[in-house]
């Protein structure tokens, strides 16, 4: 709900703060005092189009701010967070700040949670937070989708199984739609899929003919380098082998002989010194190691003798075959193998087109039959709910000075099924018997339209997720008992949601939980307005002014107190 609204330099209001609470709040004041600026401020905070003409004369800009208190997890908090808003959380709820400034040049800026945001974000949040009824372009239930959703909420309240049936229909619709789209794609792209299959078949055959092995390209590169340097490798191995074991190597003894000589010299005296004995043991290990190395070099030389130009040519031919695959299918042999595996899976899928088409045709046909049955069930439930909602709203209209008006809710077959069923839902207003029902907002005055929306909202209040409602012109053109009924119904609505009403009727204002007065002050060359939250005595004086234009009249004040008492009694007796 809205905890506070702050207004600066908007219309005739220089600066004002409205502290609101739960229940019904009314705003009253003399004609021209600036009551509608309160609604204008709310509209700006909901993303309405800005108007430079609304900026107070002489001011550089106008501003509207609001502090909202919301329950934890409210859907608007996530959208605000996505826009970068800072949301202050506390036990049992969260606080969100909205702000809008309009310059004298017409430029507008919006802030959500202290962060600048597009005006469109305010509009998105506004749809979830506040409903304004006043002018025809402010009708919440203007669109067919909004009217269908409202009827569905009402149906869910009176028919507990309806939400489950609607969700089952939606799941089935999505499966039917997915299968139908896949079937259409298979049929429409048949030639392209045949060409794709042929291309994949040739590519896989080419790869299979070469039969590349994981890591083979790197392994062959190593072999190629060795075979390309065969003579240098053989010579180095032989000379190293001779240096280790030959009896004469360049006029000197080989390494094995020298190590053995050194070992034997130490063995002769090892019994006299442990350190020399240890050195002799180490030389023995070196001798064994040199012998192993010499044996390995001999084996390496022998293996080189078995390889030659023929083997090198064979390796290069294999590398050339792999290079052809690398140019077409990947940067390495492993990537080529992975591509081939994926291609085989896709080829299997393409080759099964005929079987898949038959299966999809059966699935689409079966789902369509089941979908029609479920859609018929939804239509029956909506038709029953529409009759009940229409009767209840029409009853409310009769008490709101529209005795001959009826709300007609038309549930008609749609041209094709959709995600929400196979119905077109339309809310129509029949102003009197014999008149053709017309869409909401057409053929009704602003006051009549507000009363129609009040009647609808009163009936839907218990199932509506929006926490705050604002009404302007709801009491235009009525008085007497009808005004009392409007006030009582606003109070009934306020049992479920926060309601803010701009009114000029004392019968309506008497039902308020809190009463706000806009007071105009005129001076030399200027006019301004102030906003005041009235206490009990202030309410009596304001109601006296609204009743007789004489707020100091004892008679008028007595009548005002009687009006307040009657309103309280009516609310108590009728549960409003």
């Amino acid at each position: 709900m809205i905890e506070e609204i702050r207004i600066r330099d908007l219309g005739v209001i220089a600066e004002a703060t409205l502290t609101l609470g739960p229940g019904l709040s009314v705003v009253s004041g003399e004609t021209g005092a600036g009551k509608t600026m309160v609604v204008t401020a709310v509209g700006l905070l909901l993303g309405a189009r800005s108007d430079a003409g609304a900026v107070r004369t002489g001011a550089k800009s106008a501003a509207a701010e609001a502090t909202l208190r919301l329950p934890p997890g409210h859907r608007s908090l996530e959208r605000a967070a996505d826009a970068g808003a800072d949301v202050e959380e506390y036990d049992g709820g969260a606080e969100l700040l909205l702000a809008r400034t309009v310059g004298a040049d017409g430029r507008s800026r919006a802030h959500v949670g202290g962060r600048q945001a597009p005006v469109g974000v305010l509009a998105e949040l506004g749809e979830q937070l506040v409903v304004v009824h006043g002018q025809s372009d402010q009708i919440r239930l203007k669109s067919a989708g909004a009217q269908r959703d409202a009827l569905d909420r009402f149906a869910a309240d009176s028919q507990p199984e309806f939400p489950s049936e609607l969700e089952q229909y939606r799941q089935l619709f999505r499966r039917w739609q997915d299968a139908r789209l896949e079937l259409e794609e298979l049929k429409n792209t048949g030639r392209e899929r045949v060409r794709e299959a042929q291309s994949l078949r040739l590519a896989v055959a080419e790869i299979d003919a070469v039969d590349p092995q994981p890591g083979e390209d790197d392994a062959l590169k190593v072999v190629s380098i060795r075979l390309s340097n065969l003579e240098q490798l053989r010579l180095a191995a032989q000379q190293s082998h001779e240096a280790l074991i030959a009896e004469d190597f360049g006029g000197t003894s080989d390494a094995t002989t020298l190590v053995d000589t050194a070992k034997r010299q130490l063995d002769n005296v090892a019994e006299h010194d442990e350190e020399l004995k240890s050195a002799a043991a180490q030389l023995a290990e070196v001798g064994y190691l040199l012998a192993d190395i010499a044996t390995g070099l001999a084996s390496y030389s022998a293996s080189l003798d078995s390889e030659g130009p023929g083997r090198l040519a064979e390796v290069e031919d294999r590398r050339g075959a792999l290079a052809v695959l690398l140019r077409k299918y990947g940067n390495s042999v492993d990537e080529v193998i992975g591509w081939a595996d994926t291609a085989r899976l896709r080829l299997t899928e393409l080759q099964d087109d005929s079987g898949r088409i038959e299966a999809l045709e059966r699935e689409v046909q079966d789902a369509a039959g089941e979908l029609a049955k479920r859609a018929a069930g939804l239509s029956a439930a909506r038709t029953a709910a529409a009759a009940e909602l229409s009767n209840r709203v029409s009853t409310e209209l009769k008490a709101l000075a529209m005795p001959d008006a009826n709300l007609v809710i038309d549930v008609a077959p749609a041209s094709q099924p959709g995600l929400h069923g196979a119905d077109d839902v339309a809310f129509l207003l029949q102003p009197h018997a014999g008149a053709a029902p017309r869409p909401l907002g057409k053929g009704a005055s602003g006051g009549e339209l507000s009363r129609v929306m009040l009647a609808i909202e009163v009936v839907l209040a218990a199932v509506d997720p929006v926490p705050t409602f604002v009404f302007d012109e709801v009491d235009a053109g009525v008085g007497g008992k009808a005004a009392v009924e409007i006030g009582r119904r606003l109070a009934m609505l306020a049992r479920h949601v926060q309601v803010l009403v701009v009114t000029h009727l004392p019968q309506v204002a008497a039902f308020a939980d809190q009463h706000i007065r806009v007071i105009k002050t005129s001076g030399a060359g200027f006019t301004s307005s102030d906003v005041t939250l009235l206490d009990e005595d202030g309410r009596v004086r304001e109601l006296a002014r609204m009743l007789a234009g004489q707020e100091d009249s004892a008679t008028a004040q007595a009548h005002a107190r009687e009006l307040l008492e009657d309103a309280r009694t009516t609310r108590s007796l009728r549960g409003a």
Side-chain angles (χ1 to χ4, degrees):
M1 64 173 229
I2 301 175
E3 286 190 326
E4 188 175 81
I5 299 175
R6 297 169 292 281
I7 303 172
R8 176 180 56 78
D9 292 330
L10 186 63
V12 295
I13 299 178
E15 188 166 353
T17 299
L18 284 75
T19 301
L20 305 177
L24 174 60
S25 299
V26 300
V27 179
S28 66
E30 295 181 358
T31 302
K35 300 186 298 295
T36 57
M37 287 299 101
V38 175
V39 179
T40 300
V42 173
L44 288 174
L45 292 170
L46 301 181
R49 179 177 298 179
S50 61
D51 180 8
V55 179
R56 180 176 166 79
T57 303
K60 294 182 178 179
S61 63
E65 300 178 358
T67 301
L68 293 93
R69 180 162 52 87
L70 301 169
H74 191 277
R75 53 182 178 168
S76 63
L77 294 176
E78 182 178 355
R79 180 64 187 95
D82 290 342
D86 290 329
V87 179
E88 185 174 343
E89 297 184 357
Y90 54 88
D91 292 342
E95 187 176 90
L96 178 64
L97 301 180
L98 303 180
R100 180 85 177 276
T101 58
V102 180
D105 58 359
R107 294 184 179 180
S108 169
R109 290 185 179 181
H111 290 79
V112 177
R115 301 292 182 88
Q116 187 167 342
V119 175
V121 175
L122 287 181
E124 293 179 36
L125 293 174
E127 292 179 354
Q128 304 169 11
L129 296 173
V130 182
V131 172
V132 178
H133 289 305
Q135 306 301 322
S136 59
D137 59 351
Q138 295 172 330
I139 299 177
R140 176 169 68 130
L141 303 180
K142 180 185 294 184
S143 70
Q147 294 174 6
R148 182 198 59 239
D149 290 342
L151 178 60
D152 285 355
R153 289 196 301 272
F154 183 79
D157 187 59
S158 58
Q159 306 173 53
E161 71 283 357
F162 182 82
S164 175
E165 293 177 356
L166 179 57
E167 181 57 29
Q168 291 177 22
Y169 170 87
R170 286 172 175 167
Q171 293 177 3
L172 180 61
F173 178 83
R174 292 187 184 99
R175 292 198 301 270
W176 170 78
Q177 190 175 48
D178 290 344
R180 185 171 57 85
L181 292 175
E182 184 181 353
L183 179 60
E184 290 178 0
E185 181 183 4
L186 286 176
K187 290 182 175 180
N188 294 336
T189 61
R191 293 181 179 178
E192 290 80 359
R193 293 169 71 86
V194 169
R195 287 193 291 267
E196 182 185 358
Q198 180 62 21
S199 176
L200 290 176
R201 195 176 295 109
L202 293 174
V204 170
E206 181 182 15
I207 295 173
D208 288 345
V210 177
D211 191 22
Q213 300 301 310
E216 185 180 6
D217 48 346
D218 292 334
L220 289 176
K221 181 179 180 180
V222 173
V223 174
S224 176
I225 293 174
R226 187 176 77 244
L227 293 177
S228 298
N229 297 277
L230 196 62
E231 291 304 319
Q232 295 94 317
L233 296 174
R234 180 185 291 110
L235 179 60
Q238 288 175 347
Q239 290 179 343
S240 178
H241 181 269
E242 291 174 358
L244 292 174
I245 64 171
E247 293 182 357
D248 182 55
F249 181 69
T252 63
S253 298
D254 60 75
T256 303
T257 301
L258 292 174
V259 170
D260 184 62
T261 300
K263 174 181 174 297
R264 282 187 281 105
Q265 291 295 329
L266 294 178
D267 284 341
N268 293 332
V269 295
E271 60 180 320
H272 304 302
D273 191 304
E274 288 296 325
E275 186 174 350
L276 291 182
K277 184 176 180 180
S278 175
Q282 291 176 340
L283 286 172
E285 292 179 3
V286 171
Y288 299 145
L289 182 60
L290 290 176
D292 289 342
I293 295 173
T295 300
L297 289 173
S299 298
Y300 179 78
S301 297
S303 68
L304 292 180
D305 290 338
S306 65
E307 297 179 331
R311 173 56 178 158
L312 179 60
E314 178 183 334
V315 169
E316 293 303 326
D317 286 346
R318 180 64 177 174
R319 294 186 71 196
L322 293 177
V324 173
L325 300 182
L326 295 179
R327 285 195 298 270
K328 293 182 179 180
Y329 308 112
N331 296 320
S332 67
V333 166
D334 289 348
E335 287 187 16
V336 172
I337 294 173
W339 187 94
D341 291 340
T342 302
R344 289 188 184 92
L345 293 175
R346 175 62 174 165
L347 188 57
T348 300
E349 178 184 337
L350 294 172
Q351 290 173 337
D352 191 38
D353 275 1
S354 59
R356 181 60 179 161
I357 288 175
E358 292 179 1
L360 285 172
E361 287 177 338
R362 289 193 300 270
E363 183 177 352
V364 168
Q365 184 176 1
D366 293 344
E370 181 64 22
L371 206 62
K373 293 179 182 178
R374 291 191 177 275
L378 293 178
S379 297
R382 283 180 175 141
T383 299
E388 176 64 18
L389 179 58
S390 176
N391 288 335
R392 291 174 61 176
V393 172
S394 297
T395 299
E396 293 292 325
L397 289 175
K398 290 173 174 53
L400 294 174
M402 300 179 70
D404 299 320
N406 287 291
L407 178 71
V408 177
I409 302 178
D410 183 31
V411 181
S415 58
Q416 58 184 9
L419 183 60
H420 304 283
D423 304 312
D424 285 333
V425 176
F427 283 24
L428 309 171
L429 178 64
Q430 185 181 35
H432 53 81
R438 302 189 65 186
L440 296 180
K442 295 184 178 180
S445 67
E448 289 175 332
L449 183 59
S450 289
R451 292 200 294 276
V452 171
M453 296 313 301
L454 172 59
I456 294 175
E457 301 296 8
V458 166
V459 176
L460 294 177
V463 298
D464 202 295
V466 180
T468 299
F469 286 73
V470 178
F471 286 90
D472 189 18
E473 298 186 16
V474 69
D475 52 13
V478 299
K481 291 183 179 180
V484 173
E485 290 300 324
I486 290 176
R488 188 173 72 85
R489 278 157 177 78
L490 287 168
M492 290 172 58
L493 179 62
R495 287 189 301 167
H496 303 281
V497 295
Q498 183 187 43
V499 179
L500 178 62
V501 179
V502 177
T503 184
H504 67 279
L505 291 181
Q507 296 95 327
V508 173
F511 281 88
D513 294 297
Q514 53 185 353
H515 192 150
I516 299 164
R517 182 182 180 185
V518 181
I519 305 172
K520 180 172 66 174
T521 303
S522 298
F526 74 91
T527 299
S528 64
S529 293
D530 193 14
V531 177
T532 303
L533 177 62
L534 302 177
D535 57 15
E536 184 69 13
D537 290 340
R539 290 191 68 184
V540 170
R541 291 173 59 83
E542 174 63 4
L543 289 178
R545 183 198 64 79
M546 299 171 74
L547 283 165
Q550 299 176 347
E551 59 189 67
D552 294 323
S553 167
T555 302
Q557 289 186 12
H559 189 184
R561 289 190 180 91
E562 182 181 0
L563 194 62
L564 281 170
E565 187 61 30
D566 287 346
R568 289 166 181 156
T569 302
T570 300
R571 292 183 64 168
S572 175
L573 293 176
R574 300 191 181 183

